[in-house]
Amino acid sequence: MHHRRKAFRGLVMVVLASLGVAACGSASSGSANPNTLLTQTFTGTHKVTSGDLNLTLTIDPSGSSVLSGPITLSFGGPFQTRGAGKLPESNFTVSASALGRGVALGVISTGTAGYVTLQGASYQMPQATFQKLESSFSQLTSTPGASSGSGTLGKLGIQPLKWLTNPTAVGTENVGGAQTTHIHAGVNVSALLTDLNTVLEKASSLGVSGASSLKSGIPAADRTKIASEIKNPSVDIWTGTSDKTIRRLTITLTVPVTGTTSSELGGLTSANIGLTMQYSDLNQPQTIKAPTTVRPFSEFQSKLNAFVQELQGAAGGALGGSSSSGSSSGSSSGSGSGSSSGSSGGTSTASSSNVTLYSQCIQSAGGDVGKMQKCAALLGSGG
């Protein structure tokens, strides 16, 4: 149980770190040249103090007689920063779904106290646990060596300008309540994996549970193999027309599966993977409230075992196996309750099927900007 608490604490700290540094100011308007827009988006300082963040990962397998999909993992909800080095106020929901089944866990921070919500009940984190979260968070957001102008992504070791290739301006769209310019680009996978190495090293240096074994990163030979196998990698970025601050980012790619692995997974031929991050209502005030009724944290620890089993059940179901459902009824938005619907808290992002359709549409467009503009409708406006 001790290791599970450390893993949970590490997960919360790393995710909250993406909200940590709210640098003031904004980039200049510049021109519509896609390279210029990307430079303005990923350099300089950008104001990110509050809003509604949503992250969604989808895995959609093809060709398998036993592996069912899509599998969806999501994280999202409102947040309000409180200054450098301090945990933001937030009300996030972490959820997973497969085969129409889902589980969800709520994580609430008032900035001075932390709570978790599971199956309709809320529990206050021990103050020592919360203080460790805040200490780790502060250490990450003040990590030396990161450029002051590179923002949060730079502090995490992510430098998109090094791995985005052949960008094309698609058009203007409304995303998350803001007018944006949509840019489509290819991906230099080897350079992206180099950034991933840096992220793993930073997580290890901060003592994130499970990351110490990856402190040396991904071996060069493995990175080369991974890069050669990934197909059709692409990135779409929606940056604010006036402030050049990112509103949505979508990464799509296909992983071919062959040989023994394919046979063991019922003839699986490939898996389409989509990752979407979106900000809505950026820099609009958010109200985060502590739960009115709180139960002892010791009860949460016992319920956590059941929650993990539900996650395993969802994953087992996606693999075509059978397991007890353990899923509880109730709304998952902001409450962290298990749900058969698999819905998650926060602003709704593109569904897994939409991400797959969008990826296929972009690939079929073949660089034709007019066709690419029509593909954007598959993701929804997000407004």
Side-chain angles (χ1 to χ4, degrees), residues 163-176:
W163 42 265
L164 293 174
T165 64
N166 305 316
T168 302
V170 177
T172 57
E173 301 161 29
N174 187 285
V175 173

Side-chain angles (χ1 to χ4, degrees), residues 24-33 35-47 181 239-245:
C24 295
S26 62
S28 59
S29 58
S31 66
N33 181 286
N35 287 296
T36 301
L37 292 174
L38 289 176
T39 299
Q40 293 171 335
T41 299
F42 293 114
T43 61
T45 55
H46 300 267
K47 181 181 179 182
T181 299
T239 184
T241 303
S242 61
D243 60 14
K244 305 304 180 289
T245 298

Side-chain angles (χ1 to χ4, degrees), residues 19-382:
L19 309 175
V21 182
C24 295
S26 62
S28 59
S29 58
S31 66
N33 181 286
N35 287 296
T36 301
L37 292 174
L38 289 176
T39 299
Q40 293 171 335
T41 299
F42 293 114
T43 61
T45 55
H46 300 267
K47 181 181 179 182
V48 180
T49 60
S50 60
D52 202 311
L53 172 68
N54 219 290
L55 297 170
T56 301
L57 171 68
T58 61
I59 303 173
D60 197 358
S62 297
S64 174
S65 60
V66 298
L67 183 61
S68 302
I71 301 167
T72 303
L73 302 174
S74 64
F75 170 92
F79 68 93
Q80 179 79 48
T81 60
R82 302 172 55 244
K86 296 181 179 180
L87 281 172
E89 297 178 7
S90 58
N91 186 354
F92 294 136
T93 298
V94 184
S95 64
S97 67
L99 293 179
R101 296 173 49 206
V103 292
L105 174 72
V107 182
I108 300 172
S109 168
T110 63
T112 56
Y115 305 85
V116 289
T117 304
L118 183 62
Q119 296 176 342
S122 298
Y123 311 85
Q124 183 169 0
M125 293 182 190
Q127 194 60 26
T129 301
F130 185 79
Q131 288 174 347
K132 287 180 180 178
L133 279 173
E134 187 163 34
S135 175
S136 297
F137 182 81
S138 177
Q139 183 182 350
L140 179 61
T141 56
S142 60
T143 300
S147 168
S148 60
S150 61
T152 303
L153 289 176
K155 288 181 179 293
L156 293 173
I158 301 174
Q159 304 289 341
L161 294 177
K162 293 183 178 180
W163 42 265
L164 293 174
T165 64
N166 305 316
T168 302
V170 177
T172 57
E173 301 161 29
N174 187 285
V175 173
Q179 190 70 8
T180 69
T181 299
H182 177 187
I183 302 168
H184 176 76
V187 180
N188 180 327
V189 178
S190 295
L192 174 60
L193 291 174
T194 298
D195 273 7
L196 176 59
N197 258 4
T198 303
V199 173
L200 294 175
E201 290 167 359
K202 286 181 180 292
S204 174
S205 68
L206 292 174
V208 175
S209 179
S212 59
S213 61
L214 297 173
K215 61 183 178 181
S216 59
I218 305 172
D222 290 348
R223 295 202 304 269
T224 300
K225 186 174 186 298
I226 293 171
S228 66
E229 292 179 350
I230 290 178
K231 305 298 182 184
N232 307 318
S234 67
V235 174
D236 287 87
I237 296 159
W238 287 259
T239 184
T241 303
S242 61
D243 60 14
K244 305 304 180 289
T245 298
I246 194 167
R247 294 309 199 282
R248 180 194 286 161
L249 181 147
T250 297
I251 300 175
T252 59
L253 55 88
T254 301
V255 180
V257 181
T258 59
T260 303
T261 302
S262 175
S263 300
E264 291 176 345
L265 296 177
L268 179 68
T269 57
S270 65
N272 292 324
I273 299 175
L275 175 65
T276 297
M277 179 200 78
Q278 179 171 313
Y279 284 115
S280 298
D281 300 323
L282 192 63
N283 300 320
Q284 298 300 309
Q286 303 294 319
T287 301
I288 311 298
K289 295 182 179 180
T292 55
T293 303
V294 179
R295 301 186 64 82
F297 192 73
S298 58
E299 293 184 15
F300 167 74
Q301 294 171 349
S302 61
K303 269 194 174 182
L304 185 60
N305 285 325
F307 176 73
V308 171
Q309 290 174 0
E310 288 187 57
L311 285 175
Q312 293 172 340
L319 289 168
S322 61
S323 61
S324 60
S325 65
S327 182
S328 302
S329 62
S331 169
S332 66
S333 180
S335 68
S337 61
S339 170
S340 61
S341 67
S343 62
S344 65
T347 305
S348 63
T349 55
S351 69
S352 57
S353 59
N354 284 355
V355 170
T356 300
L357 291 173
Y358 176 77
S359 175
Q360 295 170 347
C361 182
I362 287 293
Q363 293 168 21
S364 300
D368 187 310
V369 173
K371 293 180 180 179
M372 290 164 68
Q373 287 176 322
K374 296 178 180 179
C375 294
L378 296 172
L379 289 176
S381 67

